[in-house]
Amino acid sequence: MKLYPLNVGNFKLDGGAMFGVVPKVLWNKTNPADQNNRIDIASRCLLIEDGKRLILIDTGMGTKQSDRFFSYYHRWGNYSMDSALAAHGFCRDDVTDVFLTHLHFDHCGGCVQWNSDKTGYEIAFKNATFWSNKDHWEWATKPNKRERASFLTENIMPLETSGQLKHVSIPDVDILHDSSLGFDVFFANGHTDKQMIPMISYKGETICFMADLLPTVGHLSVPFVMGYDTRPLLTLDEKDRFLKLAADKNYFLLLEHDAHNELITVKHTEKGVRLNAVHSFNNLF
């Protein structure tokens, strides 16, 4: 097995929205804002090469939305899915599976693209099976008013109509081993219903793809919860439990949205779980 973190695009989001009720004087220390109060955000995906399978975790926001849409998110840098895959000798058609932590547009938008003459949409990974779970799919396709702007029909429904969509099973406990994919999943419900956090055994270590349970290093303090979370009190509990487990077992946490810190470990302190070290994936593995 080989793992490849992929930066497929950077953008910016409002710092206040990213940190909810936490005062700017606190979060600005770790995530400095620009003159428009926006902070740097990454779209970092993870590619797993395992035998004949090439599994991609999340796809970023893609490129099919309008210029007006993208103007809200101020994309920056010269990153793309195609160049990120090509850097490791792959292309979209090589991907056999796309695992989606959840269906917010910045995590699944890259699954679907315009067709050649822009008259309709097509699947961006034509040979891939797309993995969600039934509870989250139901949540996303019948969205609440708070999340409706994040669950875009053009990102979601083509997956179902393509016939390439499958769902992982959900047990009564929040960690499972899905034999079809080969890694454990932690289900987190505070950000959105049944978000899936992959936990991958790799070279004797556990790599956790943190999605929106821990977007950036600046969110390590348990009360630092995004304004986007639908159940912030539940996020408090889930993040607290997960970070304690990560500190106990020395998990490596791969940060999907931190533009400046790729991989971290955490430790127990008198103030709770805090940063232990920042790592470069390629230098470490």
Side-chain angles (χ1 to χ4, degrees):
M1 178 190 288
K2 293 182 180 179
L3 302 187
Y4 310 97
L6 307 179
N7 190 334
V8 303
N10 290 334
F11 58 104
K12 289 180 179 287
L13 286 175
D14 184 85
M18 282 298 290
F19 285 92
V21 300
V22 178
K24 181 178 180 179
V25 69
L26 297 179
W27 59 256
N28 200 54
K29 296 175 182 178
T30 56
N31 299 72
D34 65 13
Q35 66 274 18
N36 294 312
N37 209 50
R38 298 173 303 192
I39 64 173
D40 292 347
I41 298 292
S43 290
R44 184 174 290 111
C45 306
L46 182 62
L47 192 66
I48 306 172
E49 183 183 13
D50 190 12
K52 294 182 179 180
R53 299 185 76 172
L54 195 64
I55 303 170
L56 177 63
I57 300 178
D58 282 355
T59 64
M61 64 173 66
T63 60
K64 67 181 176 300
Q65 305 304 137
S66 67
D67 289 342
R68 180 181 180 184
F69 178 92
F70 286 128
S71 72
Y72 301 142
Y73 302 102
H74 190 76
R75 293 182 296 172
W76 56 278
N78 297 313
Y79 301 98
S80 71
M81 178 63 73
D82 290 316
S83 62
L85 288 169
H88 300 289
F90 301 112
C91 67
R92 292 170 183 264
D93 291 353
D94 296 325
V95 176
T96 62
D97 301 87
V98 176
F99 181 90
L100 299 167
T101 60
H102 59 297
L103 295 168
H104 286 166
F105 70 86
D106 56 319
H107 295 258
C108 75
C111 294
V112 178
Q113 62 189 10
W114 285 109
N115 59 18
S116 59
D117 56 5
K118 287 196 171 184
T119 58
Y121 299 117
E122 64 183 15
I123 297 299
F125 302 89
K126 66 181 183 181
N127 298 318
T129 297
F130 294 84
W131 296 89
S132 183
N133 67 73
K134 288 183 179 179
D135 285 2
H136 182 65
W137 184 266
E138 183 76 8
W139 182 271
T141 54
K142 299 176 182 178
N144 58 76
K145 292 180 180 179
R146 182 182 176 91
E147 289 182 277
R148 184 172 295 161
S150 293
F151 291 128
L152 305 182
T153 300
E154 61 267 32
N155 289 338
I156 297 173
M157 298 317 297
L159 302 180
E160 185 173 55
T161 57
S162 72
Q164 295 170 236
L165 177 68
K166 290 187 178 180
H167 296 299
V168 301
S169 58
I170 301 177
D172 293 330
V173 296
D174 54 14
I175 293 181
L176 78 124
H177 181 77
D178 189 282
S179 58
S180 61
L181 289 167
F183 49 76
D184 290 343
V185 175
F186 178 89
F187 287 94
N189 298 287
H191 177 61
T192 188
D193 199 57
K194 294 297 185 294
Q195 178 185 202
M196 299 190 289
I197 307 299
M199 304 169 64
I200 302 147
S201 296
Y202 185 59
K203 295 187 177 181
E205 306 290 352
T206 298
I207 313 295
C208 305
F209 186 83
M210 296 307 296
D212 280 336
L213 180 60
L214 184 71
T216 75
V217 166
H219 291 85
L220 272 172
S221 180
V222 170
F224 285 38
V225 174
M226 290 190 293
Y228 299 112
D229 287 13
T230 59
R231 305 176 180 119
L233 294 180
L234 187 53
T235 295
L236 287 174
D237 176 65
E238 291 170 340
K239 189 164 69 166
D240 186 48
R241 287 190 293 121
F242 196 96
L243 290 177
K244 286 177 179 176
L245 181 66
D248 288 343
K249 296 185 176 294
N250 199 34
Y251 289 163
F252 287 88
L253 310 181
L254 187 66
L255 303 179
E256 183 167 11
H257 283 319
D258 195 316
H260 306 291
N261 302 283
E262 180 181 52
L263 188 72
I264 65 170
T265 52
V266 295
K267 62 184 178 181
H268 292 287
T269 75
E270 292 181 355
K271 294 183 178 181
V273 175
R274 292 292 186 270
L275 179 68
N276 179 44
V278 176
H279 306 276
S280 167
F281 192 95
N282 289 336
N283 290 342
L284 192 62
F285 294 102

